[in-house]
Amino acid sequence: TEQVLYIEGIPVKLARKRMKSVRLRVKSPSGDVCLSAPYHVPEAELRTFVAARVGWIRQQQARIAASPSARAETASKEEIEAWRAVVKACVPPLVEQWAAILDVRPKTIAYRNMKSRWGSCQPETGRICFNIRLALYPPECLEYVVVHELCHLLEPNHGPGFHALMDRVMPDWPARKKKLNETLNAAIKGGLNISCLLYTSDAADDG
């Protein structure tokens, strides 16, 4: 079951579950505060637990609101078209440069506003698609995605051959990927719990 508690002006979605710990989450990109708790823990105790962490909650909500993922969720049509223009201007020279290095020839370059992936490659058709939200991230992240997708023309899967190829042509790709994910502040799929705070009750949950 789920209910909403209002604690110092913050709505907190409380879900009672079969669990041994209390888990507090601030979700991206919504900034919603979610609290999961065992059935036996009193509501007053949960309110005290959350109230002690209000500063942390507001800090995480501020981080989320300033993140590219949150900006993308609330962007206007004009902003989205601006991203498209930036990515369409930056990608072709990068593709030309790296396609020559890799000796590949992509046939079609497309651009989409995607929530779940940075890019995609269809080796059988030579079509590569880039996420226009990359305009919100550092330039080295865009270059990493370009190289990543071009490598798939040679190595369709993320196996040892693909990683060996990435290591050879762009040795610092793990750092670029890490920067992309850190800037995102979220796993792209399904939102991210910015952090978790655990509290374990001494009592066993019989519910």
Side-chain angles (χ1 to χ4, degrees):
T1 59
E2 185 174 288
Q3 67 182 105
V4 179
L5 307 178
Y6 290 88
I7 302 169
E8 296 195 24
I10 300 174
V12 179
K13 296 179 181 179
L14 170 61
R16 296 283 188 172
K17 300 179 180 181
R18 290 181 177 270
M19 56 194 303
K20 295 182 179 180
S21 300
V22 173
R23 188 182 186 196
L24 180 64
R25 298 174 293 159
V26 180
K27 299 181 71 175
S28 174
S30 65
D32 289 344
V33 181
C34 299
L35 184 67
S36 301
Y39 292 100
H40 66 267
V41 179
E43 181 179 314
E45 196 169 334
L46 294 175
R47 286 181 174 276
T48 299
F49 173 75
V50 175
R53 292 157 176 83
V54 165
W56 176 85
I57 291 171
R58 296 195 189 281
Q59 181 183 40
Q60 301 312 313
Q61 288 177 328
R63 286 179 59 199
I64 291 170
S67 70
S69 56
R71 289 170 58 194
E73 291 300 315
T74 59
S76 65
K77 289 182 179 180
E78 291 75 15
E79 288 175 308
I80 292 171
E81 288 310 306
W83 305 340
R84 188 183 305 275
V86 168
V87 174
K88 287 183 74 171
C90 294
V91 163
L94 288 172
V95 168
E96 182 178 0
Q97 173 190 347
W98 285 99
I101 292 171
L102 291 162
D103 194 23
V104 294
R105 293 173 180 79
K107 293 182 179 179
T108 306
I109 302 296
Y111 307 91
R112 292 180 57 197
N113 183 15
M114 299 182 285
K115 292 185 178 181
S116 62
R117 58 177 64 184
W118 296 120
S120 63
C121 177
Q122 298 174 356
E124 63 278 6
T125 64
R127 183 180 188 271
I128 297 178
C129 184
F130 295 101
N131 190 342
I132 62 173
R133 297 187 183 194
L134 285 162
L136 298 172
Y137 298 85
E140 58 268 33
C141 296
L142 174 59
E143 187 175 33
Y144 155 70
V145 175
V146 167
V147 175
H148 181 112
E149 300 306 338
L150 287 173
C151 282
H152 277 313
L153 293 174
L154 299 173
E155 295 285 345
N157 302 310
H158 291 112
F162 173 82
H163 290 109
L165 181 58
M166 286 292 296
D167 288 341
R168 179 169 62 82
V169 299
M170 181 177 275
D172 68 338
W173 72 265
R176 295 178 188 235
K177 180 180 180 181
K178 182 179 179 181
K179 180 177 288 189
L180 181 61
N181 290 332
E182 285 177 345
T183 308
L184 174 63
N185 250 349
I188 337 179
K189 295 181 180 178
L192 170 74
N193 303 325
I194 288 296
S195 185
C196 298
L197 296 174
L198 300 179
Y199 159 94
T200 303
S201 172
D202 292 334
D205 182 16
D206 298 325

